[in-house]
Amino acid sequence: MTNKYDVLVSEVGPRDGLQSINTVFSTKGKMQWIKREAEAGVAKIQVGSFVPPKLLPQLADTADVVNQSIQIHGLNVAALVPNLKGAENGMAAGTHQIGVVMSVSEAHNQANVRCSTQQSIDQFAKIIAFRNAHLEYKDIVISGGMATAFGCTISGKVPICDVLRVAEGLLKRGAQRLNVADTVGYADPKQVRNLFTELYRAIGDDIPVSAHFHDTRGLGLANVFAALDAGVREFEACLGGLGGCPYAPGASGNIVTEDLVFMLEAMGLSTGVNLDGLLETREIMERHLNGEPTHGTFAKAGRPKGFVIKPAIF
Ligand SMILES: [Zn+2]
C-alpha cells in the first residue's frame, strides 16, 4: 500500500466512534461499513478494541470483525488493546497493528487505568515481550499511543517534556510507531507544531508518527495543518465525526474523515481516497445509527466548482 498516497488517512470510527455512542452495530453492519470504506481507498482502519465485552458491548465482536477485515485485500487492520490480555486476544485474532494507549498526564492515567504512566510503560514492555516470544506474531506491528498529549481535563496543561519522556520510554521498549492524541480537544496549532517539531528532534525521522485530533473547540483541521507542517504524514479520523464529544454534548469529537480528505486533496496532497466513495460509506453508516447525530461539513456542502474528486485506487 506504500507510495499510493502522500498522507495516510486512518479511519478509527469503528472503534473510537462506536465506543462513544449508544447504538450497538451488528457485526454485519460494521463489515458493510469497513468494506465500503476500504473500497473507497482508506488503507488503514482501526476496527475495534480488545476490551472486556461487559465494559464496551459496542465492541464485543472485535475478534470477529478483525477476522473478517483481514480478508479485505490490501487493508491494514488495526485495533487497540488496554493490557496484555487484550494484546494476546488481538494477536490471536490476526490484527495487523496493535495500539497500546496510555495517558501522558499522570492524573488522567491514574483515573483511567489506576496506575502510573511508568507502570503503563512497563505493561507495554510485557506486550512487546509476548509478541517477540511468539514467532507466528513477528509481523504484528505494535504502536505506542500517547493520550492527553496536549492537555488534560484533570491537570490542565501537559508539558512537552512529559510527552518526550513517554515517547522515549515507549521506543526504548520496542514501540515501532507512535500515536499522539489530543484526547480532549485542548490543542492549538502553534502548540501542535512545537510538539511535533520537538518530538522529531528527539526521536528522529525513522519512526512513523500518527496524530489524533479532536474538533471539540473547532481547531481540529487547523491542528492537522500545523502537524503536516511539522512533518506528520498519518492522521486518524472518524467518518461523519461519529461519537461526538462526551464532555460537550452536541459538539463534534474526532475530526471528520471526509473533511480531512477534502482538505488534503484540495492542498494537492494525495490520500488515495475517493471522496464519493467516502460519502457513500457515510450513508451506509448512518443507516445503522438509529438517528444518533453525525458531523462534518463536506457531506453538507459538497465539492466546490472545478474541484476534481479522485477515483478510488482499487
Ligand atoms: Zn478520538
Side-chain angles (χ1 to χ4, degrees), residues 12 15-17 20 181-183 212-214 236 238 244 253-255:
V12 295
R15 193 277 306 170
D16 201 337
S20 324
D182 180 22
T183 315
H212 182 114
F213 292 121
H214 282 201
E236 296 185 343
C238 262
N254 293 278
I255 56 167

Side-chain angles (χ1 to χ4, degrees), residues 85-309:
K85 181 81 201 132
E88 288 176 20
N89 293 337
M91 290 184 209
T95 318
H96 299 138
Q97 184 181 307
I98 300 273
V100 190
V101 183
M102 61 207 63
S103 287
V104 176
S105 155
E106 200 65 51
H108 194 268
N109 207 58
Q110 286 285 357
N112 247 7
V113 287
R114 286 182 291 280
C115 69
S116 69
T117 305
Q118 187 53 51
Q119 285 169 316
S120 288
I121 294 175
D122 294 341
Q123 170 89 358
F124 182 84
K126 286 186 189 148
I127 293 172
I128 294 276
F130 175 82
R131 193 271 320 269
N132 293 348
H134 293 77
L135 200 60
E136 68 272 29
Y137 297 151
K138 70 177 181 354
D139 294 330
I140 296 175
V141 172
I142 302 184
S143 162
M146 294 180 284
T148 62
F150 297 89
C152 161
T153 44
I154 306 166
S155 47
K157 276 202 162 64
V158 172
I160 288 182
C161 59
D162 287 2
V163 180
L164 300 187
R165 191 171 37 78
V166 176
E168 282 164 350
L170 289 168
L171 292 174
K172 216 168 98 187
R173 284 159 186 83
Q176 290 149 289
R177 40 186 313 129
L178 296 173
N179 178 261
V180 187
D182 180 22
T183 315
V184 291
Y186 276 23
D188 69 74
K190 192 174 172 191
Q191 180 192 14
V192 167
R193 195 165 53 199
N194 286 344
L195 188 146
F196 283 108
T197 304
E198 292 287 322
L199 182 63
Y200 284 122
R201 195 173 290 154
I203 68 168
D205 298 331
D206 296 339
I207 304 291
V209 177
S210 55
H212 182 114
F213 292 121
H214 282 201
D215 199 34
T216 321
R217 292 170 180 80
L219 299 185
L221 289 184
N223 289 333
V224 169
F225 184 81
L228 276 170
D229 213 26
V232 178
R233 290 295 178 267
E234 180 178 341
F235 296 93
E236 296 185 343
C238 262
L239 193 71
L242 187 65
C245 175
Y247 312 103
S252 53
N254 293 278
I255 56 167
V256 176
T257 309
E258 58 275 23
D259 291 1
L260 170 67
V261 170
F262 169 67
M263 181 180 103
L264 294 168
E265 294 283 342
M267 289 169 64
L269 293 164
S270 161
T271 61
V273 180
N274 171 255
L275 274 163
D276 284 337
L278 269 190
L279 294 183
E280 274 175 41
T281 314
R282 181 182 156 117
E283 279 167 26
I284 290 170
M285 179 191 81
E286 281 176 330
R287 265 184 246 140
H288 294 279
L289 270 181
N290 292 328
E292 290 195 65
T294 49
H295 303 273
T297 50
F298 183 77
K300 288 181 202 142
R303 71 184 97 179
K305 190 173 177 185
F307 181 77
V308 181
I309 290 186

